[in-house]
Amino acid sequence: MKIMLAYDGSRNAKLALAQAVEMFRCNVPTLMLVAVAENPRHSTDANEDLFQEEVEELHAALAEAKTFAENEGFAVQTHMAEGDARKQLLHATRSLQPDLLVIARHSQKPDGGIIAQSLSYFVDELDYMTFGSVSSFLARRVEVPLLIFPSP
């Protein structure tokens, strides 16, 4: 069994990795961690520096996640892509052919009180309705089973 997990090193991605490891441990799957660095829209020196910084952070996050999963007994492959996260993850499912794609629902939610949580839910819904999201894009187009872990 091959499980592909979209991984960006965020809190939700780390929680999704831990949940996937726990949930699928008995199946002894190969875990494929895929990160996507989004290209800057304008190729200025400042944007290029920020992009390279993002790439380095993602490589570090992938290395950390790989070590975690290997210590849990999983065979792990890492993959890095550049471009639109939605399209690159869709392309990765077609080229890597996993049996399952696991993603964490992205959230900008701060840890806070009820007002912060209410605002966060409103922003999440507005984001979903107006701009879509990686998870909603993949839910409509991906050709393998998809498991979306909700943000806690």
Side-chain angles (χ1 to χ4, degrees):
M1 177 177 205
K2 295 188 302 185
I3 297 174
M4 185 176 127
L5 193 142
Y7 194 82
D8 63 1
S10 67
R11 177 178 168 262
N12 285 351
K14 289 177 182 176
L15 290 172
L17 174 61
Q19 289 173 308
V21 163
E22 192 61 35
M23 185 178 285
F24 296 105
R25 180 184 312 276
C26 62
N27 296 338
V28 194
T30 295
L31 196 57
M32 299 180 293
L33 302 172
V34 179
V36 180
E38 297 202 45
N39 289 333
R41 294 183 181 188
H42 303 288
S43 57
T44 63
D45 288 343
N47 284 342
E48 184 61 25
D49 290 344
L50 290 173
F51 177 71
Q52 290 305 321
E53 185 177 313
E54 180 184 1
V55 168
E56 290 172 16
E57 289 175 2
L58 286 173
H59 277 295
L62 282 175
E64 180 184 26
K66 181 178 180 188
T67 299
F68 168 77
E70 286 176 338
N71 288 340
E72 294 291 328
F74 284 71
V76 181
Q77 302 171 359
T78 60
H79 303 273
M80 184 80 163
E82 295 178 10
D84 182 293
R86 301 169 304 167
K87 293 176 183 174
Q88 293 301 317
L89 290 171
L90 181 61
H91 175 72
T93 62
R94 292 177 177 156
S95 63
L96 299 174
Q97 299 183 332
D99 299 303
L100 175 70
L101 170 62
V102 175
I103 60 175
R105 187 170 179 267
H106 183 71
S107 175
Q108 305 287 338
K109 182 170 74 176
D111 295 328
I114 191 159
I115 294 174
Q117 289 178 4
S118 297
L119 286 173
S120 177
Y121 291 134
F122 174 73
V123 170
D124 279 352
E125 287 304 315
L126 187 62
D127 181 48
Y128 176 79
M129 289 186 296
T130 57
F131 304 112
S133 68
V134 173
S135 57
S136 65
F137 177 87
L138 291 171
R140 292 189 308 268
R141 291 177 175 83
V142 76
E143 298 164 356
V144 299
L146 173 65
L147 175 60
I148 303 172
F149 285 115
S151 53

